[in-house]
Amino acid sequence: MDGWRSSIRLSASAIYIKKPFSPRSSSSILKGSFHSANRYCTRDRSSTCRYNRCMTVSASFTSSEAALLALRNEFPILSTTTYLISNSLGAMPAATKTALMEYAEVWNTRGVRAWEETWWMLAAEVGNLIGGLMNAAPDTVSCHQNVTQCQAAVASCFDFSGKRNKIVYDDMNFPSVMYFWEAQRAHGARVHMVPTDDGIHVPLERLLDAIDEETLLVPFSHVCFRSSYIQDAKAIIEKAHKVGALVVLDAFQSLGTVPVDVTALNADFATGGVLKWLCGGPGTGYLYVRPDLAKKLQPSFTGWHAHAEPFAFETGSIRYCDSSYKFLNGTHNVPALYAARPGLKIIAEAGIGNIRTKSKRQVAKFIAMAETRGWRVNTPRSPEQRGGTVSLGLPDAYQVCAELNRRNVLCDYRPKAGVRMAPHFYNTDEEIEYAMDVIEEVLNAKK
């Protein structure tokens, strides 16, 4: 028992890891990658021609972009598909397969001892990896299975029976978040939804005006999933704090492709997951809680992982621990945490600033090519107002998307958005050009 108790007090840095993942540094990958002064090969020449394009290095092709493209080799699916769907599911790193095999090996060879040696504090390690990407203080990010559970943990900290019981959100929010907060009406919450006019953004002043002295919480998306519009998080947080409200920043569509700094923003809560831009696979969501706020809150959506001494198995009310685990409940998703680490470490190595610079350029390329063809674009034109996705309002968009996927150009369709294309740090300009050519071919065939 003493061994168990001591294990749960370990810091994330003291976790036993049998074979820690360590992606090759960009500098080491780049050695020998340039075949001449002006050519860079993104794939081994034995690969299928379509996915084996050599890029001509133009003035806009920077050394940081070369380093990003060097990381393509970490993602096997890029050799067989044109992968433009990282806003829905990031490509899987090759190291993830190794990580999941490690999980199985640890379970197989260590049995129940795996909890003490590795598994119990794995959520803290992954939480700190995520926190490092958004400038969160150590031990302020807890890992959950999805964003809806994160929202539930937040909601469980508050009482909706008083005058300050208003929830303000906009209709560009992700539906799962809407469904959760609408359901809180049954618990006394007054829910106010701010509408969009154009399906691309919600006017900032309209949203700010809805936040008043009776507002308790403002859950909003940093980047809207339909249009990729970047909401003014700073202005929303400042208005909420001015009237005594708190914010729940959903960074699912931003973290990994748009810089997020929860400390500079003074965010109260931030949620998201690793399966999209962070290339971490499904099953790991995250919840950041501002450190001073975390000390005051007592979530009622709780469980034994949040207990100060979980292996004492005390009866009665919970005694909360004083770490990020305070916001956990039941047993965490261990294999998903193993799967999450490789992608998170690659994103950290790539650098979100570098990713953002390339993303703005490539999304602009998508938009310019779409407008040249006369296609509707449901994404802001200003690079400072959009995330990493471009939404194309194409005729018969659902059928077009299905045909693109059949041809191994992976993208998705969303109602009121159209076909969504999402280049990430590992995509080439040639893939963008190829995807647009395929769309044109598909549309012409339908005439």
Side-chain angles (χ1 to χ4, degrees), residues 130-189:
I130 296 167
L133 296 175
M134 56 182 174
N135 194 31
D139 199 29
T140 58
V141 177
S142 55
C143 292
H144 305 254
Q145 291 194 33
N146 54 61
V147 166
T148 307
Q149 287 191 359
C150 296
Q151 302 279 339
V154 172
S156 75
C157 296
F158 300 98
D159 179 6
F160 299 116
S161 64
K163 185 177 181 180
R164 186 183 287 275
N165 63 354
K166 183 179 176 183
I167 308 298
V168 175
Y169 74 86
D170 62 80
D171 64 356
M172 295 296 288
N173 220 325
F174 190 72
S176 189
V177 175
M178 295 187 194
Y179 304 154
F180 174 80
W181 289 107
E182 288 289 338
Q184 302 318 299
R185 293 179 187 271
H187 302 288

Side-chain angles (χ1 to χ4, degrees), residues 30 33-34 38-42 53-55 57 61 66 69-70:
L30 283 173
S33 294
F34 286 95
N38 66 340
R39 301 291 285 177
Y40 173 75
C41 185
T42 62
R53 302 182 184 86
C54 288
M55 298 183 57
V57 181
F61 189 80
L69 281 176

Side-chain angles (χ1 to χ4, degrees), residues 131-393:
L133 296 175
M134 56 182 174
N135 194 31
D139 199 29
T140 58
V141 177
S142 55
C143 292
H144 305 254
Q145 291 194 33
N146 54 61
V147 166
T148 307
Q149 287 191 359
C150 296
Q151 302 279 339
V154 172
S156 75
C157 296
F158 300 98
D159 179 6
F160 299 116
S161 64
K163 185 177 181 180
R164 186 183 287 275
N165 63 354
K166 183 179 176 183
I167 308 298
V168 175
Y169 74 86
D170 62 80
D171 64 356
M172 295 296 288
N173 220 325
F174 190 72
S176 189
V177 175
M178 295 187 194
Y179 304 154
F180 174 80
W181 289 107
E182 288 289 338
Q184 302 318 299
R185 293 179 187 271
H187 302 288
R190 289 183 296 125
V191 182
H192 180 84
M193 183 175 69
V194 181
T196 178
D197 293 328
D198 59 8
I200 295 177
H201 82 300
V202 171
L204 178 61
E205 290 305 317
R206 183 182 299 171
L207 180 57
L208 297 182
D209 287 345
I211 303 171
D212 56 25
E213 285 76 8
E214 295 184 358
T215 301
L216 178 60
L217 293 165
V218 184
F220 73 97
S221 295
H222 188 199
V223 172
C224 300
F225 82 102
R226 294 189 200 275
S227 66
S228 201
Y229 177 75
I230 299 178
Q231 304 218 69
D232 191 339
K234 184 174 185 293
I236 296 169
I237 292 170
E238 287 179 351
K239 174 60 187 292
H241 289 176
K242 182 178 179 181
V243 298
L246 302 173
V247 298
V248 187
L249 176 69
D250 185 345
F252 218 146
Q253 284 291 351
S254 54
L255 188 61
T257 189
V258 175
V260 178
D261 188 330
V262 293
T263 301
L265 287 171
N266 198 23
D268 306 302
F269 306 95
T271 67
V274 304
L275 78 158
K276 303 181 190 295
W277 302 105
L278 298 177
C279 301
T284 299
Y286 58 83
L287 171 63
Y288 162 80
V289 184
R290 203 180 72 222
D292 61 305
L293 189 60
K295 295 176 182 178
K296 306 172 187 176
L297 298 176
Q298 295 189 340
S300 59
F301 180 37
T302 191
W304 76 299
H305 271 224
H307 200 283
E309 293 188 78
F311 291 98
F313 297 109
E314 296 176 358
T315 57
S317 300
I318 190 169
R319 289 190 296 114
Y320 296 101
C321 65
D322 58 3
S323 70
S324 62
Y325 278 35
K326 179 179 184 179
F327 296 91
L328 294 182
N329 35 75
T331 303
H332 49 243
N333 189 344
V334 175
L337 294 172
Y338 270 84
R341 289 185 297 183
L344 291 169
K345 292 180 179 182
I346 290 174
I347 296 296
E349 177 185 348
I352 293 178
N354 295 329
I355 293 172
R356 174 62 171 158
T357 297
K358 181 181 179 183
S359 174
K360 288 196 289 188
R361 184 184 65 76
Q362 288 195 318
V363 172
K365 182 179 179 72
F366 254 125
I367 291 174
M369 294 181 72
E371 290 182 330
T372 297
R373 290 165 167 81
W375 300 340
R376 178 177 175 178
V377 177
N378 295 323
T379 296
R381 302 306 190 273
S382 169
E384 303 307 319
Q385 290 185 320
R386 65 172 182 254
T389 302
V390 59
S391 299
L392 303 176

